[in-house]
Amino acid sequence: MPPPAGDAPTLLIGPLLRHVDPVSATVWVETDRPCEVEVLGRTARTFRVGGHHYALVLVEDLEPGSATPYEVRLDGARVWPEESSPFPPSRIRTPGRPGPFRLAFGSCRYAAPTTVDVTEGIPPDALDGYAERVAALPEDEWPDALVLLGDQVYADELAAVTRSWLRRRRGEPVPEDGQVRGFEEYTRLYTESWTDPQVRWLLSTIPSSMVFDDHEMIDDWNTSAAWRRKITATDWWDERIAGGLVSYWVYQHLGNLSPQELAANTTWQAVRALPEGADAEPVLRGMAVTADREPRSVRWSYVRHWGQARLLVVDSRAGRVLDEQARRMVDDEEFAWVEAAMRQAVEDGVEHLLVGTSLPWLLPHAIDSIERWDEALAVRHEGRPLGRLAEALRQAADLEHWAAFGHSFDRLAAALVAVARGEHGRAPATAVVLSGDVHHAYAAEVVSPGDLATRVHQLTVSPLHNQAPHPIRVGFRIGWSRWARRFTGTIARLARVRPPSVDWAKAAGPYFGNQVGELVLEGRSARFVLHVSDRRPDGDDGLREVLDLPLADPLTDPVPAATAPAG
């Protein structure tokens, strides 16, 4: 029902501070009706999607290294910050300040604490606790960026209050395993996840970068060709994937883009070209359906430039090649783009190359071996009983990480090793893969080949707000054990499975509970700090620091680029 005429517009979600560079920023909001949105004197009209109203305000002409408090006005009336807010004023902090660069990261946030029944036993929300911790710190100790590595919402695991809302909306019972259907129901998930006061303030002040994982669409999304054939044969998939990708584009992807990328983005320009008041949902739905059927039509991957750090976020879900005989995590064109972005980062002289991908590249060794073994059986015996058994195991056990796409695992390894050997220019101090998904935290480091000038790490942090059931915790602890590595390695060798092209060692972990990671970068030094919130016997459920791990030796001199042999 439209609001009564004459009522002032209301801010429903946001503001979210999204892309920030030394001289500009974008601020995203959802409002309850069409209006003009103003931030620091810059304005944008809302655009309409499925009866909802959004705006992305481009704030330009900022000073590098500055911190600028801001307000949000709708049709001239201030709506943010809220008068009663206990948090510091929201502000835009541009790169270029002296001191360390702090990047917070994590994944998997199953709704907000207020929507989860206490009987579910989920530990306290780490993102809420982290927001409260940040708000109490001096501003120069706040993180400079927040990277959310997938499962910002769960479309296939609904809280009880969401099921109640769906029951009223649909006029029919919604079972415990019920799932959302289209765009309108997806909007409810974002309202739940992004409107609790702590996270709302955090997202208004810390620039955020996001990428999807499977639960934003459906569990096992794009696991395999067999999964894809089954799901696309249903009469509900088109509606589901359209709602999922349209909502992802509106709520997450749009804010990942720089002002230059926005100007070149055909979908955004098509939305902006619509007559005022026209609904953009048909345009976005066409984009989404095409993206599902023709993954090359949309690039969800992107780059963030942070001075001496460069973040390359890689889509490891929507762009997969699922032909069983040519499985790829991303297609060749996309991988060439990834490799070119890595080379450009080195040529630009970055000290820290960061690769964000929702799924871990380096897993516990035993799990890595099982995923490779399963892929080998599925490929060799495709269409036959053993191949079908391997496929059933793949879907039941979620064997779909980089190790289950062996060609892509090795290509990423080769790209990182080339960077670490200085083949494209002076080797950076670190190359770090940031991931989530697996509901525990750990750090691992490449130990072979051993001639690397750059230290290459995998940092995995998950979940922000969910839980790992006890059998999962036991499984991951076993997965990191030496005897499990020997056992599964033997199975893989007997099956003539090609081993990974690099070897790695666990540096820390596993840690369980709800978690937020921090990467602290200064010059050529780097540290991984982990904060965990868990139920403790002493009743202390607060966020606590459990790890501060050096990732690079700050005393190490820069290594010159590799040179070709004479002659």
PDB file of all heavy atoms in Angstrom, residues 452-474:
ATOM      1  N   LEU A 452      60.026 -18.915  -3.017  1.00  0.00           N
ATOM      2  CA  LEU A 452      59.129 -17.776  -3.173  1.00  0.00           C
ATOM      3  C   LEU A 452      59.635 -16.586  -2.379  1.00  0.00           C
ATOM      4  O   LEU A 452      59.972 -16.703  -1.192  1.00  0.00           O
ATOM      5  CB  LEU A 452      57.719 -18.146  -2.713  1.00  0.00           C
ATOM      6  CG  LEU A 452      57.094 -19.384  -3.365  1.00  0.00           C
ATOM      7  CD1 LEU A 452      55.667 -19.581  -2.864  1.00  0.00           C
ATOM      8  CD2 LEU A 452      57.133 -19.292  -4.882  1.00  0.00           C
ATOM      9  N   ALA A 453      59.668 -15.425  -3.008  1.00  0.00           N
ATOM     10  CA  ALA A 453      60.041 -14.194  -2.323  1.00  0.00           C
ATOM     11  C   ALA A 453      58.866 -13.592  -1.568  1.00  0.00           C
ATOM     12  O   ALA A 453      59.055 -12.764  -0.668  1.00  0.00           O
ATOM     13  CB  ALA A 453      60.580 -13.177  -3.341  1.00  0.00           C
ATOM     14  N   THR A 454      57.668 -13.977  -1.938  1.00  0.00           N
ATOM     15  CA  THR A 454      56.441 -13.523  -1.283  1.00  0.00           C
ATOM     16  C   THR A 454      55.880 -14.646  -0.433  1.00  0.00           C
ATOM     17  O   THR A 454      55.872 -15.809  -0.861  1.00  0.00           O
ATOM     18  CB  THR A 454      55.383 -13.125  -2.343  1.00  0.00           C
ATOM     19  OG1 THR A 454      55.882 -12.052  -3.121  1.00  0.00           O
ATOM     20  CG2 THR A 454      54.066 -12.731  -1.702  1.00  0.00           C
ATOM     21  N   ARG A 455      55.401 -14.335   0.762  1.00  0.00           N
ATOM     22  CA  ARG A 455      54.728 -15.351   1.584  1.00  0.00           C
ATOM     23  C   ARG A 455      53.267 -15.434   1.146  1.00  0.00           C
ATOM     24  O   ARG A 455      52.563 -14.418   1.080  1.00  0.00           O
ATOM     25  CB  ARG A 455      54.861 -15.006   3.058  1.00  0.00           C
ATOM     26  CG  ARG A 455      56.308 -15.119   3.541  1.00  0.00           C
ATOM     27  CD  ARG A 455      56.449 -14.778   5.005  1.00  0.00           C
ATOM     28  NE  ARG A 455      55.740 -15.704   5.884  1.00  0.00           N
ATOM     29  CZ  ARG A 455      55.767 -15.630   7.215  1.00  0.00           C
ATOM     30  NH1 ARG A 455      56.458 -14.667   7.810  1.00  0.00           N
ATOM     31  NH2 ARG A 455      55.091 -16.503   7.938  1.00  0.00           N
ATOM     32  N   VAL A 456      52.838 -16.635   0.824  1.00  0.00           N
ATOM     33  CA  VAL A 456      51.504 -16.873   0.264  1.00  0.00           C
ATOM     34  C   VAL A 456      50.655 -17.575   1.316  1.00  0.00           C
ATOM     35  O   VAL A 456      51.002 -18.654   1.793  1.00  0.00           O
ATOM     36  CB  VAL A 456      51.587 -17.723  -1.015  1.00  0.00           C
ATOM     37  CG1 VAL A 456      50.197 -17.950  -1.597  1.00  0.00           C
ATOM     38  CG2 VAL A 456      52.494 -17.045  -2.044  1.00  0.00           C
ATOM     39  N   HIS A 457      49.524 -16.952   1.670  1.00  0.00           N
ATOM     40  CA  HIS A 457      48.678 -17.440   2.766  1.00  0.00           C
ATOM     41  C   HIS A 457      47.240 -17.680   2.323  1.00  0.00           C
ATOM     42  O   HIS A 457      46.746 -17.037   1.395  1.00  0.00           O
ATOM     43  CB  HIS A 457      48.634 -16.402   3.902  1.00  0.00           C
ATOM     44  CG  HIS A 457      49.950 -16.065   4.500  1.00  0.00           C
ATOM     45  ND1 HIS A 457      50.507 -16.770   5.542  1.00  0.00           N
ATOM     46  CD2 HIS A 457      50.840 -15.074   4.217  1.00  0.00           C
ATOM     47  CE1 HIS A 457      51.665 -16.229   5.877  1.00  0.00           C
ATOM     48  NE2 HIS A 457      51.893 -15.201   5.085  1.00  0.00           N
ATOM     49  N   GLN A 458      46.594 -18.576   3.032  1.00  0.00           N
ATOM     50  CA  GLN A 458      45.139 -18.724   3.008  1.00  0.00           C
ATOM     51  C   GLN A 458      44.615 -18.364   4.391  1.00  0.00           C
ATOM     52  O   GLN A 458      45.040 -18.946   5.393  1.00  0.00           O
ATOM     53  CB  GLN A 458      44.739 -20.165   2.687  1.00  0.00           C
ATOM     54  CG  GLN A 458      43.264 -20.493   2.926  1.00  0.00           C
ATOM     55  CD  GLN A 458      42.359 -19.938   1.842  1.00  0.00           C
ATOM     56  OE1 GLN A 458      42.467 -20.315   0.686  1.00  0.00           O
ATOM     57  NE2 GLN A 458      41.442 -19.047   2.222  1.00  0.00           N
ATOM     58  N   LEU A 459      43.712 -17.369   4.460  1.00  0.00           N
ATOM     59  CA  LEU A 459      43.045 -17.013   5.712  1.00  0.00           C
ATOM     60  C   LEU A 459      41.554 -17.254   5.530  1.00  0.00           C
ATOM     61  O   LEU A 459      40.943 -16.694   4.607  1.00  0.00           O
ATOM     62  CB  LEU A 459      43.311 -15.546   6.067  1.00  0.00           C
ATOM     63  CG  LEU A 459      44.768 -15.107   6.174  1.00  0.00           C
ATOM     64  CD1 LEU A 459      44.841 -13.636   6.565  1.00  0.00           C
ATOM     65  CD2 LEU A 459      45.537 -15.963   7.163  1.00  0.00           C
ATOM     66  N   THR A 460      40.993 -18.064   6.383  1.00  0.00           N
ATOM     67  CA  THR A 460      39.583 -18.420   6.289  1.00  0.00           C
ATOM     68  C   THR A 460      38.882 -18.061   7.586  1.00  0.00           C
ATOM     69  O   THR A 460      39.356 -18.444   8.668  1.00  0.00           O
ATOM     70  CB  THR A 460      39.420 -19.924   6.002  1.00  0.00           C
ATOM     71  OG1 THR A 460      40.093 -20.239   4.783  1.00  0.00           O
ATOM     72  CG2 THR A 460      37.959 -20.316   5.883  1.00  0.00           C
ATOM     73  N   VAL A 461      37.770 -17.315   7.492  1.00  0.00           N
ATOM     74  CA  VAL A 461      37.005 -16.899   8.670  1.00  0.00           C
ATOM     75  C   VAL A 461      35.522 -17.085   8.374  1.00  0.00           C
ATOM     76  O   VAL A 461      34.971 -16.479   7.459  1.00  0.00           O
ATOM     77  CB  VAL A 461      37.296 -15.428   9.032  1.00  0.00           C
ATOM     78  CG1 VAL A 461      36.394 -14.969  10.165  1.00  0.00           C
ATOM     79  CG2 VAL A 461      38.759 -15.250   9.417  1.00  0.00           C
ATOM     80  N   SER A 462      34.880 -17.921   9.181  1.00  0.00           N
ATOM     81  CA  SER A 462      33.461 -18.218   9.004  1.00  0.00           C
ATOM     82  C   SER A 462      32.996 -19.033  10.210  1.00  0.00           C
ATOM     83  O   SER A 462      33.739 -19.904  10.675  1.00  0.00           O
ATOM     84  CB  SER A 462      33.270 -19.023   7.716  1.00  0.00           C
ATOM     85  OG  SER A 462      32.032 -19.678   7.670  1.00  0.00           O
ATOM     86  N   PRO A 463      31.779 -18.762  10.730  1.00  0.00           N
ATOM     87  CA  PRO A 463      30.772 -17.810  10.297  1.00  0.00           C
ATOM     88  C   PRO A 463      30.794 -16.530  11.145  1.00  0.00           C
ATOM     89  O   PRO A 463      31.378 -16.489  12.219  1.00  0.00           O
ATOM     90  CB  PRO A 463      29.478 -18.557  10.550  1.00  0.00           C
ATOM     91  CG  PRO A 463      29.772 -19.352  11.810  1.00  0.00           C
ATOM     92  CD  PRO A 463      31.232 -19.726  11.715  1.00  0.00           C
ATOM     93  N   LEU A 464      30.102 -15.499  10.640  1.00  0.00           N
ATOM     94  CA  LEU A 464      29.837 -14.305  11.434  1.00  0.00           C
ATOM     95  C   LEU A 464      28.722 -14.565  12.435  1.00  0.00           C
ATOM     96  O   LEU A 464      28.785 -14.154  13.595  1.00  0.00           O
ATOM     97  CB  LEU A 464      29.457 -13.141  10.522  1.00  0.00           C
ATOM     98  CG  LEU A 464      30.569 -12.590   9.634  1.00  0.00           C
ATOM     99  CD1 LEU A 464      29.976 -11.752   8.516  1.00  0.00           C
ATOM    100  CD2 LEU A 464      31.558 -11.770  10.448  1.00  0.00           C
ATOM    101  N   HIS A 465      27.658 -15.224  11.959  1.00  0.00           N
ATOM    102  CA  HIS A 465      26.532 -15.537  12.841  1.00  0.00           C
ATOM    103  C   HIS A 465      25.850 -16.802  12.342  1.00  0.00           C
ATOM    104  O   HIS A 465      24.941 -16.774  11.515  1.00  0.00           O
ATOM    105  CB  HIS A 465      25.534 -14.383  12.883  1.00  0.00           C
ATOM    106  CG  HIS A 465      24.446 -14.579  13.905  1.00  0.00           C
ATOM    107  ND1 HIS A 465      23.114 -14.371  13.652  1.00  0.00           N
ATOM    108  CD2 HIS A 465      24.509 -15.000  15.200  1.00  0.00           C
ATOM    109  CE1 HIS A 465      22.397 -14.627  14.735  1.00  0.00           C
ATOM    110  NE2 HIS A 465      23.233 -15.012  15.687  1.00  0.00           N
ATOM    111  N   ASN A 466      26.337 -17.922  12.808  1.00  0.00           N
ATOM    112  CA  ASN A 466      25.763 -19.226  12.508  1.00  0.00           C
ATOM    113  C   ASN A 466      26.415 -20.188  13.480  1.00  0.00           C
ATOM    114  O   ASN A 466      26.898 -19.763  14.531  1.00  0.00           O
ATOM    115  CB  ASN A 466      25.998 -19.613  11.046  1.00  0.00           C
ATOM    116  CG  ASN A 466      24.901 -20.518  10.504  1.00  0.00           C
ATOM    117  OD1 ASN A 466      24.476 -21.449  11.166  1.00  0.00           O
ATOM    118  ND2 ASN A 466      24.455 -20.221   9.284  1.00  0.00           N
ATOM    119  N   GLN A 467      26.482 -21.433  13.147  1.00  0.00           N
ATOM    120  CA  GLN A 467      27.171 -22.366  14.024  1.00  0.00           C
ATOM    121  C   GLN A 467      27.633 -23.579  13.234  1.00  0.00           C
ATOM    122  O   GLN A 467      27.080 -23.889  12.178  1.00  0.00           O
ATOM    123  CB  GLN A 467      26.260 -22.825  15.168  1.00  0.00           C
ATOM    124  CG  GLN A 467      25.018 -23.568  14.716  1.00  0.00           C
ATOM    125  CD  GLN A 467      24.170 -24.014  15.895  1.00  0.00           C
ATOM    126  OE1 GLN A 467      24.666 -24.165  17.003  1.00  0.00           O
ATOM    127  NE2 GLN A 467      22.879 -24.220  15.656  1.00  0.00           N
ATOM    128  N   ALA A 468      28.658 -24.217  13.729  1.00  0.00           N
ATOM    129  CA  ALA A 468      29.117 -25.485  13.175  1.00  0.00           C
ATOM    130  C   ALA A 468      28.659 -26.587  14.125  1.00  0.00           C
ATOM    131  O   ALA A 468      29.115 -26.645  15.264  1.00  0.00           O
ATOM    132  CB  ALA A 468      30.634 -25.491  13.051  1.00  0.00           C
ATOM    133  N   PRO A 469      27.741 -27.455  13.686  1.00  0.00           N
ATOM    134  CA  PRO A 469      27.311 -28.559  14.556  1.00  0.00           C
ATOM    135  C   PRO A 469      28.506 -29.396  14.996  1.00  0.00           C
ATOM    136  O   PRO A 469      29.552 -29.424  14.334  1.00  0.00           O
ATOM    137  CB  PRO A 469      26.360 -29.362  13.652  1.00  0.00           C
ATOM    138  CG  PRO A 469      25.903 -28.391  12.605  1.00  0.00           C
ATOM    139  CD  PRO A 469      27.061 -27.461  12.384  1.00  0.00           C
ATOM    140  N   HIS A 470      28.346 -30.069  16.118  1.00  0.00           N
ATOM    141  CA  HIS A 470      29.455 -30.832  16.686  1.00  0.00           C
ATOM    142  C   HIS A 470      30.086 -31.804  15.701  1.00  0.00           C
ATOM    143  O   HIS A 470      31.345 -31.870  15.620  1.00  0.00           O
ATOM    144  CB  HIS A 470      28.984 -31.590  17.932  1.00  0.00           C
ATOM    145  CG  HIS A 470      30.087 -32.332  18.630  1.00  0.00           C
ATOM    146  ND1 HIS A 470      31.115 -31.688  19.295  1.00  0.00           N
ATOM    147  CD2 HIS A 470      30.356 -33.668  18.738  1.00  0.00           C
ATOM    148  CE1 HIS A 470      31.949 -32.591  19.791  1.00  0.00           C
ATOM    149  NE2 HIS A 470      31.505 -33.788  19.466  1.00  0.00           N
ATOM    150  N   PRO A 471      29.334 -32.565  14.897  1.00  0.00           N
ATOM    151  CA  PRO A 471      29.985 -33.469  13.940  1.00  0.00           C
ATOM    152  C   PRO A 471      30.868 -32.726  12.938  1.00  0.00           C
ATOM    153  O   PRO A 471      31.913 -33.239  12.527  1.00  0.00           O
ATOM    154  CB  PRO A 471      28.797 -34.152  13.243  1.00  0.00           C
ATOM    155  CG  PRO A 471      27.676 -34.061  14.216  1.00  0.00           C
ATOM    156  CD  PRO A 471      27.863 -32.741  14.903  1.00  0.00           C
ATOM    157  N   ILE A 472      30.466 -31.510  12.547  1.00  0.00           N
ATOM    158  CA  ILE A 472      31.279 -30.730  11.618  1.00  0.00           C
ATOM    159  C   ILE A 472      32.587 -30.312  12.288  1.00  0.00           C
ATOM    160  O   ILE A 472      33.670 -30.363  11.683  1.00  0.00           O
ATOM    161  CB  ILE A 472      30.503 -29.494  11.140  1.00  0.00           C
ATOM    162  CG1 ILE A 472      29.251 -29.924  10.368  1.00  0.00           C
ATOM    163  CG2 ILE A 472      31.380 -28.595  10.298  1.00  0.00           C
ATOM    164  CD1 ILE A 472      29.540 -30.675   9.097  1.00  0.00           C
ATOM    165  N   ARG A 473      32.493 -29.896  13.561  1.00  0.00           N
ATOM    166  CA  ARG A 473      33.714 -29.520  14.279  1.00  0.00           C
ATOM    167  C   ARG A 473      34.674 -30.697  14.363  1.00  0.00           C
ATOM    168  O   ARG A 473      35.875 -30.559  14.128  1.00  0.00           O
ATOM    169  CB  ARG A 473      33.368 -29.028  15.692  1.00  0.00           C
ATOM    170  CG  ARG A 473      32.529 -27.754  15.721  1.00  0.00           C
ATOM    171  CD  ARG A 473      32.405 -27.236  17.148  1.00  0.00           C
ATOM    172  NE  ARG A 473      31.590 -26.027  17.212  1.00  0.00           N
ATOM    173  CZ  ARG A 473      31.774 -25.052  18.087  1.00  0.00           C
ATOM    174  NH1 ARG A 473      32.740 -25.143  18.976  1.00  0.00           N
ATOM    175  NH2 ARG A 473      31.005 -23.988  18.091  1.00  0.00           N
ATOM    176  N   VAL A 474      34.136 -31.864  14.687  1.00  0.00           N
ATOM    177  CA  VAL A 474      34.982 -33.056  14.782  1.00  0.00           C
ATOM    178  C   VAL A 474      35.605 -33.363  13.428  1.00  0.00           C
ATOM    179  O   VAL A 474      36.802 -33.660  13.309  1.00  0.00           O
ATOM    180  CB  VAL A 474      34.158 -34.255  15.287  1.00  0.00           C
ATOM    181  CG1 VAL A 474      34.979 -35.545  15.196  1.00  0.00           C
ATOM    182  CG2 VAL A 474      33.706 -34.023  16.724  1.00  0.00           C
TER     183      VAL A 474
END
